[in-house]
Amino acid sequence: KAGVTQTPRYLIKTRGQQVTLSCSPISGHRSVSWYQQTPGQGLQFLFEYFSETQRNKGNFPGRFSGRQFSNSRSEMNVSTLELGDSALYLCASSRDGISGNTIYFGEGSWLTVV
Amino acid sequence: TQLLEQSPQFLSIQEGENLTVYCNSSSVFSSLQWYRQEPGEGPVLLVTVVTGGEVKKLKRLTFQFGDARKDSSLHITAAQPGDTGLYLCAGAVSGNTGKLIFGQGTTLQVKP
């Protein structure tokens, strides 16, 4: 079956701009989580969406937001970009959460803020 | 705040050697997962341990979950160059959500 698809794979943005990243989960999966990975902080949880509702949220500023559509595809948006937002953004999907389910990660979107 | 301390951060060994990676926390997790990540790719799940004291084996890899479900270890026997990569432990927060708390990761290099 098709895996988790993230687009775009690479992008460069300027400070102050905003960016939208997209994630298409595995067919039949309703839970989509987003993580930020940096060399200094490792992988940090951003938020999780399930059936179009945000079910859990990490400790990131309000500049980071997301949404999920009725087909379970998800987008995350970062507004007013800062240099520190440069990171690999990973999307993970599962059938309905962690319990008893395998979490599948996409290859990520590499964001560079200059 | 739930944290996972993973050690060592870096490990460079010769082919054929054994190694152990540790993951420790003061918090209890409902389950703990181990991932391997290759450069430019997302993490790939290796195993999930759920029960305190549980031991799972995956070929040359042995995973253990502590009795109190606060710590875990990954032991690799007779490491091979193909084992090179970033190994991550991740604890699942209680409740059926998609939130994982990740350790900092262990970068393993196995030299032929």
Side-chain angles (χ1 to χ4, degrees):
Chain A
K1 57 182 174 183
V4 180
T5 304
Q6 290 189 246
T7 57
R9 282 280 280 144
Y10 305 93
L11 67 167
I12 301 174
K13 291 286 187 177
T14 304
R15 269 185 304 175
Q17 287 186 315
Q18 66 93 27
V19 66
T20 299
L21 308 178
S22 179
C23 172
S24 292
I26 291 170
S27 178
H29 286 192
R30 295 186 295 166
S31 168
V32 174
S33 300
W34 288 90
Y35 292 82
Q36 181 196 65
Q37 186 174 27
T38 60
Q41 299 296 319
L43 272 128
Q44 293 187 291
F45 174 78
L46 281 156
F47 28 66
E48 183 218 6
Y49 286 87
F50 179 78
S51 293
E52 301 179 67
T53 301
Q54 187 179 84
R55 188 159 67 172
N56 215 328
K57 190 177 187 303
N59 298 321
F60 278 81
R63 299 185 297 107
F64 291 82
S65 63
R67 59 177 176 169
Q68 186 179 34
F69 303 94
S70 58
N71 62 357
S72 292
R73 189 177 72 85
S74 177
E75 288 181 348
M76 68 161 283
N77 183 277
V78 188
S79 63
T80 319
L81 284 166
E82 300 176 0
L83 295 179
D85 296 332
S86 295
L88 175 65
Y89 289 88
L90 290 161
C91 166
S93 83
S94 67
R95 197 163 294 280
D96 55 14
I98 294 172
S99 180
N101 295 295
T102 299
I103 309 287
Y104 296 89
F105 280 84
E107 293 187 324
S109 292
W110 287 93
L111 169 65
T112 301
V113 181
V114 297
Chain B
T1 304
Q2 292 172 295
L3 294 172
L4 266 174
E5 300 287 338
Q6 190 172 341
S7 63
Q9 278 193 285
F10 302 97
L11 201 51
S12 182
I13 61 174
Q14 292 294 136
E15 182 177 359
E17 292 184 1
N18 301 331
L19 68 118
T20 302
V21 178
Y22 299 94
C23 207
N24 296 295
S25 175
S26 58
S27 303
V28 175
F29 291 100
S30 58
S31 68
L32 201 135
Q33 308 181 11
W34 285 91
Y35 292 84
R36 181 177 157 190
Q37 186 176 19
E38 300 287 349
E41 299 180 9
V44 175
L45 180 68
L46 295 174
V47 77
T48 299
V49 284
V50 178
T51 307
E54 183 176 5
V55 177
K56 281 192 175 179
K57 291 193 175 183
L58 188 64
K59 296 183 180 178
R60 295 176 293 100
L61 279 60
T62 301
F63 305 86
Q64 186 163 6
F65 202 12
D67 291 340
R69 291 187 291 134
K70 293 182 179 181
D71 55 270
S72 181
S73 64
L74 157 61
H75 182 78
I76 301 179
T77 303
Q80 299 177 359
D83 295 328
T84 294
L86 176 65
Y87 289 83
L88 296 156
C89 62
V93 176
S94 61
N96 192 18
T97 73
K99 181 176 182 178
L100 291 170
I101 306 295
F102 278 86
Q104 285 291 88
T106 296
T107 299
L108 171 65
Q109 181 188 43
V110 182
K111 293 178 279 190

